[in-house]
């Protein structure tokens, strides 16, 4: 429903702005550019989706090997002691923990198709413990916020879009996105813990959070004294090692468990093909709307106004051109993806704005969509503090992304 209103707003406002401009100036060029934009955006959407078929097939095939080889299960066992303590409302040993851990683990590994069913299952299992069926429990809210904070280890789709848009090294945003999502997840966790009065000063919780924080701090400290060129090279090196390491570990674990690695890859690749085909109409729809919005000049008016406001407080206004992606992300993942692609096509995939848009896209998940789907699946109407805490996580991701983009890419 939200995306419907957004799409209508973009189309109607773009055409009205173009008509007003024509009436004032008498220039037919604006109307012609709008018509041209519809065809070029539709072509771009199809070409991007076509390319994604190969990339998604590859990576979902790799991820299926990891899933069948036990990599997701190993990750679940590693993080299980931590989750038990931040979900005090769920009895120890309850079946919901398995679904929660599997959902969040799948999200971190980029297994979107597997993550959603697991998430819905976790929500249904937590709903069994809910005495007020229309009001979200503390555990359900914590689960939602951890989902919306978007902690991702491998941003497969973003790297795929960067490749299609001509990035010299599509994986150079890997490390910045990883750090950004860590901070957004940490902000969401802290926000929910404060509201729900969860004690994070437990030994196990501090060990997990302290260990992750120390690792991120070491990463930031190690690059703080480097030039932007050196930081970029380090990011590329670390990204390449991690990505290749993941593939190697997945294949070896699957082989050791006597999994038919080839068949597992084909199974996952088929899912990738289906996913790529399914998103073609959605991607074309949003790219046409965003393209019209930009071609009419409406987007420029909005961005110029924000730039004027920001300039009242600081001289650093480069990030403003990437803000449409950040504003759209909590409302619509498809809409934010459209703005991200538009930014890379307009400014260049390796530009500051192009990279920052990718970081905004990867900094959090679609808060309102996830809330609607997960809570709607069990009939919850009173979401309590879920939206507020989710948006706090989103805001933290945006702020950290701006800071890190300057640090990593100058």
């Amino acid at each position: 429903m939200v995306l419907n209103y957004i799409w209508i707003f973009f189309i109607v406002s773009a055409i009205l702005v173009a008509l007003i401009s024509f009436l004032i100036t008498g220039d037919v060029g604006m109307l012609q550019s709008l018509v041209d934009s519809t065809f070029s955006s539709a072509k771009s959407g199809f070409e991007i989706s076509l390319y994604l078929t190969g990339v998604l097939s590859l990576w979902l095939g790799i991820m299926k090997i990891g899933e069948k080889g036990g990599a997701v299960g190993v990750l679940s066992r590693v993080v299980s002691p931590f989750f038990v303590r931040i979900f005090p409302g769920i009895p120890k040993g309850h079946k919901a923990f398995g679904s929660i851990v599997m959902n969040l683990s799948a999200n971190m590994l980029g297994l979107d198709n597997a993550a959603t069913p697991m998430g819905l299952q976790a929500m249904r299992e937590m709903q069994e413990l809910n005495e007020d069926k229309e009001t979200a429990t503390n555990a359900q809210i914590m689960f939602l916020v951890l989902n919306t904070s978007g902690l991702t280890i491998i941003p497969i789709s973003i790297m795929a879009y960067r490749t299609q848009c001509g990035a010299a090294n599509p994986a150079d945003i890997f490390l910045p996105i990883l750090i950004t999502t860590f901070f957004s997840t940490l902000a969401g966790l802290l926000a929910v813990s404060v509201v729900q009065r969860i004690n994070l000063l437990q030994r196990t919780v501090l060990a997990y959070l302290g260990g992750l924080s120390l690792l991120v701090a070491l990463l930031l400290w190690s690059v703080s004294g480097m030039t932007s060129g050196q930081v970029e090279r380090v990011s590329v090196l670390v990204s390449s090692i991690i990505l290749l390491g993941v593939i190697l570990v997945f294949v070896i674990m699957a082989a050791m468990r006597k999994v038919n690695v080839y068949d597992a890859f084909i199974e996952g690749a088929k899912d990738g093909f289906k996913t790529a085909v399914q998103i073609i109409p959605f991607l074309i729809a949003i790219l046409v709307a965003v393209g019209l919005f930009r071609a009419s000049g409406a987007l420029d008016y909005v961005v110029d106004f924000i730039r004027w406001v920001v300039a009242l407080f600081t001289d650093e206004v480069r990030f403003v051109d990437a803000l449409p992606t950040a504003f759209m992300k909590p409302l619509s993942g498809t809409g934010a993806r459209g703005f991200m692609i538009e930014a890379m096509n307009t400014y260049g995939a390796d530009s500051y704005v192009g990279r920052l848009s990718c970081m905004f896209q990867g900094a959090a998940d679609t808060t309102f969509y996830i809330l609607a789907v997960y809570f709607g699946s069990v009939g919850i109407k009173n979401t309590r503090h879920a939206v507020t805490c989710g948006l706090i996580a989103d805001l933290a991701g945006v702020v950290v992304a701006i800071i890190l983009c300057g640090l990593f890419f100058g």
Side-chain angles (χ1 to χ4, degrees), residues 116 293 355 360 367:
T116 300
F293 198 64
R355 282 167 166 153
F360 284 154
T367 300

Side-chain angles (χ1 to χ4, degrees), residues 207-238:
Y208 277 85
L209 293 181
L212 289 173
S213 299
L214 179 61
L215 177 61
V216 172
L218 288 173
L219 286 172
L220 293 174
W221 174 79
S222 64
V223 301
S224 60
M226 301 180 184
T227 64
S228 59
Q230 291 173 327
V231 171
E232 184 175 342
R233 285 192 292 272
V234 169
S235 178
V236 170
L237 176 62
V238 173

Side-chain angles (χ1 to χ4, degrees), residues 30 266 279 372:
M30 175 62 72
I266 296 300
I279 69 172

Side-chain angles (χ1 to χ4, degrees), residues 170-302:
D172 59 8
I173 43 81
F174 174 91
L175 190 57
I177 286 180
L178 176 61
I179 298 174
T180 300
T181 57
F182 167 78
F183 279 104
S184 64
T185 300
L186 183 61
L189 174 63
L190 292 175
V192 176
S193 298
V194 169
V195 175
Q196 298 182 2
R197 298 182 180 179
I198 296 175
N199 180 20
L200 296 180
L201 300 179
Q202 303 175 62
R203 182 180 302 174
T204 302
V205 175
L206 290 177
Y208 277 85
L209 293 181
L212 289 173
S213 299
L214 179 61
L215 177 61
V216 172
L218 288 173
L219 286 172
L220 293 174
W221 174 79
S222 64
V223 301
S224 60
M226 301 180 184
T227 64
S228 59
Q230 291 173 327
V231 171
E232 184 175 342
R233 285 192 292 272
V234 169
S235 178
V236 170
L237 176 62
V238 173
S239 302
S240 301
I241 291 175
I242 292 178
L243 290 174
L244 293 175
V246 166
I247 295 174
L248 181 63
V249 170
F250 282 9
V251 171
I252 290 176
M253 285 186 62
M256 290 177 62
R257 295 193 176 198
K258 302 188 184 305
V259 172
N260 189 319
V261 178
Y262 179 78
D263 285 348
F265 178 86
I266 296 300
E267 182 182 345
K270 288 180 180 178
D271 290 336
F273 180 82
K274 293 177 183 177
T275 301
V277 172
Q278 288 171 351
I279 69 172
I280 290 177
F282 301 100
L283 190 57
I284 290 176
I286 197 63
L287 284 183
V288 168
V290 172
L292 285 173
F293 198 64
R294 178 178 289 279
S296 69
L299 180 60
D300 293 332
Y301 292 140
V302 174

Side-chain angles (χ1 to χ4, degrees), residues 123-130 133-134 140 378 380:
M123 191 60 67
R124 285 192 292 268
E125 291 168 348
M126 285 186 282
Q127 185 71 350
E128 295 175 4
L129 303 171
N130 190 358
K133 298 301 183 183
E134 294 189 354
Q140 288 172 321
V378 292
I380 288 177

Side-chain angles (χ1 to χ4, degrees), residues 390-410:
L391 291 178
I392 288 174
D394 293 341
L395 178 61
V398 169
V399 173
V400 173
I402 294 172
I403 295 171
L404 289 182
C405 193
L407 174 62
F408 276 83
F409 306 114

Side-chain angles (χ1 to χ4, degrees), residues 293 298-314 316-328 402:
F293 198 64
L299 180 60
D300 293 332
Y301 292 140
V302 174
V303 172
D304 287 344
F305 174 75
I306 297 174
R307 184 182 291 106
W308 176 77
V309 173
V310 172
L312 296 176
F313 304 95
T314 177
E316 179 55 67
V317 296
R318 291 185 302 164
F319 67 90
V320 173
D321 291 312
L323 284 181
T325 304
F327 292 151
M328 184 60 64
I402 294 172

